[in-house]
Amino acid sequence: MAAVTYGLMATDATAKALMGQPTPGGIALQPAASQLKHDAHFFHDVILMPIITLICLFVLGLIIWIAIRYNKKANPVPARWSHNTAIEIVWTVLPVLILVGISLFSFRLLFAYHDMPTPDLTVKATGNQWNWAYEYPDQGVPEYISNMLPEAEARAQNVPYRLAADEPIVVPVGKVVRVLVTGADVIHAFALPAFGLKTDAVPGRVNETWFRAERTGIFYGQCSELCGVDHAFMPIQINVVTEAEFAAWVVSKGGSMTPKTAAEAPGGTAAQVAAGTSDAPVTTTADAAAATSIPTAQTATTPTAPAAAPAAAPAQ
């Protein structure tokens, strides 16, 4: 056990040099860059691996003991009994207890994924055959297409081929990012190991996940649902930058960090305005009615003064 643990630690130490991407020859999970992935590491390394290791060693020892103790040479006359109540109770109850223990940690991790804090921004990711489209409704950044970098360009920029994209997702460090995931044609999957993300992109359905990057850098993922002939050419690249760099990027994309109304940032901001959690001005019913030329209830029920009657003709 100590040798296995040391090997995992050594591999993890090597993997830290390749944060956000696969490590050649690595056997452990990718280094974590968000709290959700740290929790996933704990569940895998501290809960699942010791249990699986002990079960495998127990079964291996049991097989070796049976092969030696009950082979034909050592035991020429087989036993006549076929049931043992105590053993049957143990091998039924013990696995149940193990599964219940695992489920306690499993549900805690699952709740962490679903218990999203108040998001600071929203990114909509749409899977296409075979690229990704991204949109920032909170900042009014219109949809743009992200394709895989050609091999020659990736080599020239010294970035990993088939992982680097020409138009990455850009998010600020330390902010809660809500990702709305959907598909335009077939089922895709939005997966980024360093953040512990993997969410199906289903046509006609919007799934939700979130992350909060704890450090700046470039992080790579891929579509992880077999979606067609070019499934292997749908990389996901997330650039985590400072708030100032993010603001500059938003402006370069034609967006704004302070949209004036919810209509300028449909989706996330509209929901935040409705909940009273946004700094954007709240549009009143009267303002909305005036903007859309729909009369309010007060306007509709106010009687209109009758037109003045024509003057009588002078008497002859």
Side-chain angles (χ1 to χ4, degrees), residues 268-294:
T269 298
Q272 293 169 9
V273 169
T277 58
S278 174
D279 293 334
V282 179
T283 304
T284 63
T285 304
D287 294 336
T292 58
S293 300
I294 299 176

Side-chain angles (χ1 to χ4, degrees), residues 154-208:
R155 304 301 183 199
Q157 297 182 20
N158 195 27
V159 293
Y161 174 53
R162 294 191 180 178
L163 288 177
D166 58 353
E167 291 284 353
I169 297 174
V170 180
V171 298
V173 64
K175 299 298 183 180
V176 177
V177 181
R178 173 174 55 182
V179 186
L180 303 178
V181 184
T182 188
D185 33 48
V186 299
I187 298 178
H188 304 273
F190 186 87
L192 202 135
F195 297 144
L197 303 181
K198 185 176 181 182
T199 303
D200 283 343
V202 182
R205 177 186 177 92
V206 178
N207 290 325
E208 183 179 81

Side-chain angles (χ1 to χ4, degrees), residues 5-315:
T5 303
Y6 177 80
L8 292 176
M9 292 175 61
T11 304
D12 185 63
T14 304
K16 289 185 186 303
L18 294 178
M19 171 70 73
Q21 59 181 291
T23 300
I27 60 174
L29 300 175
Q30 280 194 27
S34 72
Q35 185 57 48
L36 289 177
K37 190 58 184 287
H38 284 298
D39 295 341
H41 273 216
F42 174 84
F43 180 59
H44 178 270
D45 297 341
V46 179
I47 305 301
L48 294 183
M49 285 301 293
I51 292 176
I52 293 172
T53 302
L54 292 175
I55 291 176
C56 289
L57 293 176
F58 172 75
V59 172
L60 177 62
L62 190 61
I63 291 175
I64 294 175
W65 178 67
I66 291 174
I68 296 175
R69 174 65 180 81
Y70 294 104
N71 63 63
K72 184 176 181 180
K73 181 178 180 180
N75 190 47
V77 181
R80 299 293 181 180
W81 55 269
S82 59
H83 293 281
N84 186 301
T85 303
I87 292 179
E88 292 178 0
I89 291 175
V90 169
W91 74 34
T92 301
V93 174
L94 187 59
V96 170
L97 295 178
I98 293 175
L99 292 176
V100 169
I102 292 175
S103 70
L104 297 177
F105 296 94
S106 177
F107 285 137
R108 186 176 70 174
L109 180 59
L110 184 63
F111 292 158
Y113 270 90
H114 286 274
D115 188 19
M116 179 177 61
T118 302
D120 296 301
L121 71 151
T122 300
V123 178
K124 181 183 177 183
T126 304
N128 305 303
Q129 290 183 315
W130 286 272
N131 55 44
W132 290 95
Y134 303 123
E135 180 184 353
Y136 289 68
D138 290 351
Q139 287 72 35
V141 175
E143 183 177 87
Y144 62 91
I145 302 298
S146 177
N147 289 295
M148 184 186 72
L149 278 180
E151 183 174 7
E153 190 172 345
R155 304 301 183 199
Q157 297 182 20
N158 195 27
V159 293
Y161 174 53
R162 294 191 180 178
L163 288 177
D166 58 353
E167 291 284 353
I169 297 174
V170 180
V171 298
V173 64
K175 299 298 183 180
V176 177
V177 181
R178 173 174 55 182
V179 186
L180 303 178
V181 184
T182 188
D185 33 48
V186 299
I187 298 178
H188 304 273
F190 186 87
L192 202 135
F195 297 144
L197 303 181
K198 185 176 181 182
T199 303
D200 283 343
V202 182
R205 177 186 177 92
V206 178
N207 290 325
E208 183 179 81
T209 187
W210 70 280
F211 68 93
R212 177 164 45 201
E214 60 187 20
R215 55 172 294 174
T216 58
I218 300 177
F219 304 89
Y220 299 103
Q222 288 178 307
C223 172
S224 60
E225 187 74 45
L226 188 58
C227 59
V229 64
D230 284 339
H231 160 69
F233 306 101
M234 285 186 63
I236 300 168
Q237 178 178 335
I238 298 182
N239 292 4
V240 182
V241 299
T242 64
E243 292 190 51
E245 291 171 330
F246 175 70
W249 178 84
V250 168
V251 172
S252 72
K253 285 292 186 179
S256 172
M257 293 298 291
T258 56
K260 296 180 181 180
T261 65
E264 292 182 25
T269 298
Q272 293 169 9
V273 169
T277 58
S278 174
D279 293 334
V282 179
T283 304
T284 63
T285 304
D287 294 336
T292 58
S293 300
I294 299 176
T296 62
Q298 181 179 0
T299 305
T301 57
T302 301
T304 303

